Amino acid sequence: MMKKDTRAEPLNSGGHVMEVINENSEVLVYIDEHRKFLVKPRVKPKLETDRGIINVEDLIGKKYGDFVLTSLNVKAYLLKPSISDYIEKFRRITQVIYPKDLGFIVFKSGISSGSIVVEAGTGSGVLTATLAYYVRPNGKVYTYEVRKEFIEIAKSNIKMAGLEKYVVFKNKNIEEGIDEESVDAVFFDLPMPWRLVEVAYKALKASGTLTIFVPTMEQLLKSINSLRQHKGFVNIEAYDTLLRLYKTVPGEIRPMTWTVAHTGYIVFARKVVI
Ligand SMILES: C[S@@+](CC[C@H](N)C(=O)[O-])C[C@H]1O[C@@H](n2cnc3c(N)ncnc32)[C@H](O)[C@@H]1O
């Protein structure tokens, strides 16, 4: 029997291709920058906001890109959630990797759809979700985490983003070794990555990329030294990224007063044969 396609159905409406929202769809209800709500018509029948109430079941049959009026007559736009919308709503129980670094990490690591990657530690699952999003549908993320309670929270975050099929969670100290072999990329966001250079080397394919994220210069220095001493890595590069958010209000277009000044340093290196 053919499996029922539960995705929203595309529709041509007034020259716009619009997807119809069904009972399995997820919707980002956007009122303004401070009022964005992720809802599932099946799960949450009513959305109560300080700008009025929306009967979520009534969204079924409406289209992404369209709007509804709240009980207080305020426009609420119906958007299809993106990976960044989901991550914004993740429960955070650890320090996480920020959007300004996530995009650059994905780009420089060279991963793409079908890549097999290893990551430690899972933490809140922000990097896990990002990697899973880009390796799907045929790739996999193997993520290692020592704290069982963190895995449970990361799992529920990843499930919320609909990416659970692409992630294998491992409650294991990565210092004991990586079970997977010939992987395309390895990512470390944990306190002592310089102790794990040989662990990454063994798991990586020749030419594969190791990415290390560390918040302090002391950790950056130790990581670079360890990579240089190992001799099995070349193209060792270190970065920090700066990203400025702008106000987009007409007449006030300028950088925001407050910004994320520092998150961490990112090191990339490529495995070669010794
Ligand atoms: C900063 S958090 C990672 C955050 C994650 N990258 C994210 O974006 O949500 C670091 C995590 O590494 C875990 N960790 C520390 N040492 C580890 C080890 N040796 N093996 C596996 N996990 C480890 C910690 O428990 C913590 O959850």
Side-chain angles (χ1 to χ4, degrees), residues 95 97 121-127 145-147 150 173-174 189:
Q95 191 56 260
I97 298 194
T122 313
S124 308
V126 167
L127 181 60
E145 171 59 56
V146 275
R147 303 266 301 261
F150 290 176
N173 182 340
I174 200 149
D189 175 16

Side-chain angles (χ1 to χ4, degrees), residues 14 17 20 23 36 41 48 58 66 72 85 109 120 146 151 154 168 170 193 197 210 215 229 232 245 258 260:
V17 173
V20 180
E23 69 277 13
K36 299 191 261 181
E48 295 185 22
D58 293 349
D66 213 342
L72 296 177
D85 295 323
S109 70
V146 275
I151 294 185
V168 177
K170 299 198 158 189
V197 169
L210 169 61
Q229 277 159 19
L245 182 63
W258 301 103
V260 177

